[in-house]
Amino acid sequence: MRWSRASLATTTGPVIEITESGCSYNDGPGRECVIHDSRRIEYHRQYLQALAQAIADGADVRGYHAWSLMDNFEWAEGFSQRFGLAYVDF
């Protein structure tokens, strides 16, 4: 959906765009080379469920961005934390 200046001007509450949402779990592949990532999945499931309820209650949510797609170098933690939706073998 595209937003026009007119629709922005008629908004009665705050416009919300979630620019970073994520968690850091160091769950890596086990012996069977599978990552059992239930904690990260549950975090996002609960967050998105609450966001859907907020929208249903009238919140003007314009965007949601999970942080981040892939594990990356984090300025304070280096490569010691796993932030991505996809595991990266450094």
Side-chain angles (χ1 to χ4, degrees):
M1 171 181 276
R2 294 188 59 136
W3 301 97
S4 68
R5 289 185 189 266
S7 67
L8 290 174
T10 60
T11 300
T12 59
V15 173
I16 300 167
E17 179 154 359
I18 298 159
T19 58
E20 290 187 359
S21 174
C23 53
S24 172
Y25 299 122
N26 287 324
D27 298 334
R31 290 182 214 198
E32 66 281 354
C33 297
V34 173
I35 299 171
H36 299 284
D37 204 7
S38 58
R39 294 185 303 165
R40 188 180 320 268
I41 292 166
E42 185 62 15
Y43 169 86
H44 285 285
R45 187 190 68 74
Q46 288 181 11
Y47 196 104
L48 292 172
Q49 190 173 45
L51 184 59
Q53 183 62 54
I55 292 168
D57 290 344
D60 187 3
V61 178
R62 304 284 175 97
Y64 171 86
H65 307 274
W67 188 75
S68 81
L69 174 62
M70 297 172 59
D71 290 324
N72 59 5
F73 184 81
E74 204 275 332
W75 74 274
E77 301 294 332
F79 289 114
S80 68
Q81 297 293 312
R82 299 285 180 166
F83 294 96
L85 295 176
Y87 179 87
V88 175
D89 183 354
F90 299 127

